[in-house]
Amino acid sequence: MPVRQGDRESRRHGDPEKLPLPMCSHPVERPNRISRLLVPIARWLRRHRLQLFGYGVITCLGVSFIFPFVWMVSTSLKPAYEVTTYPVRLVPSVWRWENYVRVWQEVPWARRWALNSLLLVEIGVIGAIISNTMIAYAFARLRFPGRDILFLVVLSVMMLPGVVTVIPTYLIWTRLGALDTYWPWAIGAFTGSSFYIFMLRQYMLGLPYDLDEAARMDGAGYIRTLVQILVPLLRAPIIAVAVFQFLNVYNDFFGAILFLRNVQLFPLSLGLVAVRTHPQVGWRLELVMAMSTCFILPMLIVYFVAQQYFIEGVALTGVRR
Amino acid sequence: MAAGRPIQSSAGRGRVHLTQRRREALVAYALISPWFIAFLVFTAGAMVYSFGLSLFRADFLTPARFVGLGNYTRWVQDEMFGLSLYNTVYMLVFSIGLGMPVSLAASLLLNLRLRGIAFFRTVFYMPALVSGVATFVLWNIILNKDFGLLNWLLGLAGIAPVPWLTTTTWAKPALVLMNLWAAGGGSILYLAALQAVPQELYESASIDGAGRWSRFRHVTLPQISPTIFLTLVTGIIGGLQVFLSTMVMTDGGPYYSTTTYMLVLYRTAWRDLRWGYASAMAWLLFAIIMLLTLLVFRSSAAWVYYEGELRR
């Protein structure tokens, strides 16, 4: 008589393999302690093997994704003599919190850069919200000749490689005397971008049209309908636009390389690149890492706060950047 | 009311309606005008401008001189053309070829119903979130031969230190590795696609006796193929224009082994101020991008499955 005749497991469809009983040779009448202990464990392990495997792999991958950040923070807290030691010590022998103070003191423009970044982000986010909501409203809710063709143009601009426009864009701004000003960012934000227009329009198409109709019946104009009726309903995609735009503007340093020569006008992103050639700070990796950590922190905070909207935005359009 | 031309029944009503429609159109034009003007100047105008420039020998020293396609022929014969294109394509192929499976595998894992999966999703997404300048600065040090994190970890496994960014052999693989880290976790797109796959399909596949692998092969993959296609296209367009990472990390070195096409263009334009020549380079890259994108689009009929079409 087989040992596990009454076992549900063996009868389960699509599970032909037998439970590897640890004490197979033992007669059934005298199940010893060990097998009594091991059989449920083995059974549990097998029932949950996919989850266990999943946990194992996901943990390994997760560690590899997070480990560089851990190392960055640990480096930023080390005393100077410990940064380049080999083998690497993950836990500093002395915790040098003052590295964070020092980097902001020793780099004369660092605070300035942070404020510049803040300013650029503010301009960028406010401009992007206003302009893209406006433009998307026209494409989603109003009828006008050439609408569909123009919207196709919006979509194709989204796919257009920047390489063919970057040189003339620079030359045009130079002609206009916009070097060393923030005008390119401001105008760029207030004229909308394809990706956000597309995202907001998709969302708006999902809102019932009766809302607008009702508002129009009550005598509200187009703009008022948009501002008072639709914008409150568009909270999720507008927050998504704000988050995306924050990340883009904050991370962008190529624009700064192109348009800014004056070191006092640099945003923090370009400052982080520039600081590596700073005579006092550039070779002190713990300070560079401290600055990187400070640089990354706002992005993480914004992401955690607005995570759900962010993912919604991605899911809605299926493109990132 | 659907978008359609209302029939003008009587003159009076027609006129009222017409002014109404005209007002609507005018409001719409006013609303999209900022975008449209910017498009005319910075996209359409810029493209015409740069194409025109590419036909001239325009640097800031001598007056512009018309050279026709001379810039193009010169650039194609330049040895940097082949080298930089090779570097770019090499990194693109490996970054996408390794990155897409990694992203997909990561998102399959994140789609499992495990406790605490939300935390893992956040962790996986972090590298993609901070991608850009912070990644370059951080990895520059991670890849350091003597005290970098990576060589230390390899050393634990008994592997001799690898001179990542300082030899021609390892510089490109090092950058690919960084791209994998930066994009491998950024699988929110795939995750959204996976979660949109109807559960009934899996159930009916199971009833038909499909195992785990064949369910993945015949249900999951076709269902998310539009997303794969999209990431492939955007990956090619973005990947061919890569240069910020190599500029910050290796400055194109060692021995030009990480000098990408776009980096050559950037230097030609902003260091040598040869705007005409650089514009020709830009248009040639544009043509290459278009060609590759077109090939991917052509192939898509064979492997991209859209809802509502019948499979032959």
Side-chain angles (χ1 to χ4, degrees):
Chain A
M1 181 182 151
V3 179
R4 299 161 41 248
Q5 209 191 13
D7 197 338
R8 269 182 318 110
E9 293 282 325
S10 64
R11 293 227 210 103
R12 243 182 39 203
H13 168 69
D15 205 343
E17 57 194 278
K18 300 278 179 267
L19 183 71
L21 265 181
M23 300 288 172
C24 265
S25 54
H26 275 263
V28 196
E29 301 89 73
R30 296 190 293 110
N32 63 8
R33 264 218 201 104
I34 299 175
S35 73
R36 220 180 314 163
L37 186 69
L38 284 179
V39 169
I41 291 179
R43 195 176 292 162
W44 184 89
L45 281 177
R46 197 152 55 90
R47 199 171 294 160
H48 295 272
R49 68 176 184 274
L50 182 72
Q51 272 155 315
L52 284 170
F53 176 75
Y55 267 124
V57 179
I58 216 170
T59 309
C60 288
L61 266 174
V63 165
S64 63
F65 283 130
I66 202 113
F67 207 58
F69 291 116
V70 173
W71 186 72
M72 176 178 78
V73 175
S74 114
T75 305
S76 71
L77 293 168
K78 283 175 183 171
Y81 57 83
E82 224 171 49
V83 171
T84 55
T85 49
Y86 190 89
V88 176
R89 290 186 54 143
L90 262 190
V91 183
S93 57
V94 196
W95 295 77
R96 285 283 164 90
W97 293 100
E98 63 263 40
N99 284 345
Y100 282 83
V101 182
R102 291 201 41 190
V103 77
W104 294 101
Q105 281 174 345
E106 294 216 4
V107 184
W109 302 293
R111 278 180 299 251
R112 197 65 197 273
W113 291 341
L115 290 173
N116 291 339
S117 269
L118 189 68
L119 178 66
L120 282 178
V121 164
E122 277 171 11
I123 298 171
V125 168
I126 292 167
I129 289 174
I130 294 173
S131 64
N132 292 301
T133 310
M134 233 163 61
I135 298 160
Y137 171 71
F139 278 121
R141 285 296 205 245
L142 303 178
R143 279 164 317 194
F144 54 93
R147 182 181 67 176
D148 298 344
I149 292 167
L150 281 172
F151 192 69
L152 261 181
V153 172
V154 171
L155 290 184
S156 43
V157 169
M158 195 158 70
M159 282 306 204
L160 183 80
V163 62
V164 279
T165 54
V166 64
I167 292 171
T169 301
Y170 170 80
L171 293 176
I172 291 167
W173 282 120
T174 314
R175 279 287 149 74
L176 295 171
L179 283 193
D180 274 340
T181 68
Y182 290 159
W183 279 109
W185 282 267
I187 301 290
F190 277 92
T191 51
S193 1
S194 297
F195 173 63
Y196 303 139
I197 297 170
F198 177 58
M199 193 161 94
L200 288 162
R201 175 182 172 268
Q202 292 298 90
Y203 199 93
M204 244 184 258
L205 290 178
L207 298 176
Y209 205 80
D210 313 350
L211 295 166
D212 310 41
E213 288 285 311
R216 307 267 310 116
M217 286 292 160
D218 294 344
Y222 294 105
I223 308 296
R224 201 167 152 191
T225 307
L226 168 66
V227 174
Q228 295 195 332
I229 309 291
L230 290 175
V231 167
L233 296 169
L234 287 169
R235 231 185 75 202
I238 284 178
I239 292 177
V241 165
V243 174
F244 280 128
Q245 179 74 353
F246 163 77
L247 290 172
N248 281 340
V249 174
Y250 188 73
N251 246 324
D252 164 57
F253 69 105
F254 184 55
I257 287 179
L258 289 191
F259 298 118
L260 304 175
R261 299 280 172 274
N262 182 351
V263 78
Q264 298 211 16
L265 292 172
F266 283 7
L268 199 54
S269 52
L270 186 53
L272 193 61
V273 177
V275 91
R276 299 184 317 156
T277 56
H278 187 279
Q280 275 95 48
V281 179
W283 54 276
R284 302 203 35 195
L285 296 181
E286 74 279 12
L287 298 184
V288 175
M289 288 289 104
M291 197 162 162
S292 300
T293 310
C294 293
F295 177 73
I296 284 175
L297 220 50
M299 290 193 268
L300 292 182
I301 292 168
V302 166
Y303 175 64
F304 282 123
V305 170
Q307 201 171 9
Q308 73 207 67
Y309 301 106
F310 186 79
I311 292 169
E312 221 167 277
V314 174
L316 197 68
T317 49
V319 196
R320 175 164 187 219
R321 291 192 186 164
Chain B
M1 207 176 95
R5 294 230 170 98
I7 303 151
Q8 293 181 25
S9 47
S10 67
R13 268 198 57 206
R15 204 170 57 227
V16 171
H17 203 96
L18 212 86
T19 52
Q20 179 66 18
R21 284 189 58 196
R22 195 174 287 174
R23 268 198 55 207
E24 190 173 326
L26 281 176
V27 170
Y29 287 136
L31 287 176
I32 64 167
S33 62
W35 168 79
F36 190 67
I37 292 165
F39 165 78
L40 284 183
V41 177
F42 292 109
T43 307
M47 282 175 83
V48 173
Y49 184 8
S50 81
F51 187 70
L53 253 182
S54 74
L55 305 176
F56 282 84
R57 193 176 130 184
D59 44 33
F60 271 60
L61 304 170
T62 52
R65 202 158 53 79
F66 184 78
V67 289
L69 294 176
N71 283 328
Y72 290 88
T73 51
R74 240 178 85 191
W75 169 233
V76 173
Q77 286 159 6
D78 193 320
E79 61 175 341
M80 277 318 282
F81 169 73
L83 181 64
S84 64
L85 199 60
Y86 164 75
N87 289 337
T88 310
V89 171
Y90 177 105
M91 289 197 266
L92 172 83
V93 166
F94 282 99
S95 295
I96 291 184
L98 296 169
M100 280 175 85
V102 169
S103 281
L104 192 55
S107 55
L108 283 170
L109 281 170
L110 295 176
N111 204 23
L112 292 174
R113 285 192 189 81
L114 299 174
R115 218 166 281 154
I117 199 76
F119 165 75
F120 282 111
R121 280 178 195 164
T122 308
V123 166
F124 273 54
Y125 197 66
M126 260 175 74
L129 180 77
V130 302
S131 67
V133 58
T135 308
F136 308 151
V137 172
L138 173 61
W139 273 75
N140 215 0
I141 303 174
I142 287 177
L143 292 167
N144 183 290
K145 177 176 170 289
D146 298 316
F147 52 82
L149 177 71
L150 191 58
N151 277 350
W152 172 59
L153 292 175
L154 290 176
L156 293 181
I159 298 165
V162 178
W164 288 109
L165 291 175
T166 46
T167 52
T168 50
T169 322
W170 289 109
K172 279 195 284 283
L175 287 166
V176 168
L177 197 68
M178 182 184 81
N179 290 341
L180 275 186
W181 180 80
S187 42
I188 286 192
L189 258 185
Y190 289 133
L191 197 58
L194 284 173
Q195 286 175 344
V197 178
Q199 217 51 43
E200 309 85 73
L201 291 176
Y202 288 119
E203 281 157 22
S204 54
S206 292
I207 290 166
D208 292 345
R212 224 180 273 290
W213 165 250
S214 103
R215 272 194 309 236
F216 173 73
R217 172 75 192 74
H218 297 289
V219 178
T220 313
L221 275 184
Q223 284 286 323
I224 64 168
S225 58
T227 308
I228 295 178
F229 171 68
L230 190 79
T231 47
L232 185 63
V233 171
T234 50
I236 288 173
I237 294 175
L240 284 169
Q241 299 181 78
V242 158
F243 78 110
L244 288 173
S245 55
T246 63
M247 191 166 85
V248 172
M249 290 181 67
T250 56
D251 203 17
Y255 299 109
Y256 296 106
S257 64
T258 55
T259 302
T260 59
Y261 191 108
M262 197 68 191
L263 188 58
V264 181
L265 192 156
Y266 173 78
R267 285 175 179 164
T268 309
W270 278 276
R271 193 190 60 194
D272 310 341
L273 302 182
R274 295 161 71 190
W275 303 108
Y277 196 44
S279 297
M281 289 170 153
W283 272 90
L284 205 63
L285 183 62
F286 181 61
I288 293 169
I289 290 173
M290 284 291 131
L291 193 76
L292 276 176
T293 314
L294 197 71
L295 284 176
V296 175
F297 263 95
R298 272 287 161 79
S299 78
S300 72
W303 59 274
V304 178
Y305 171 71
Y306 289 104
E307 206 53 55
E309 68 176 27
L310 289 169
R311 302 211 79 170
R312 282 190 214 105

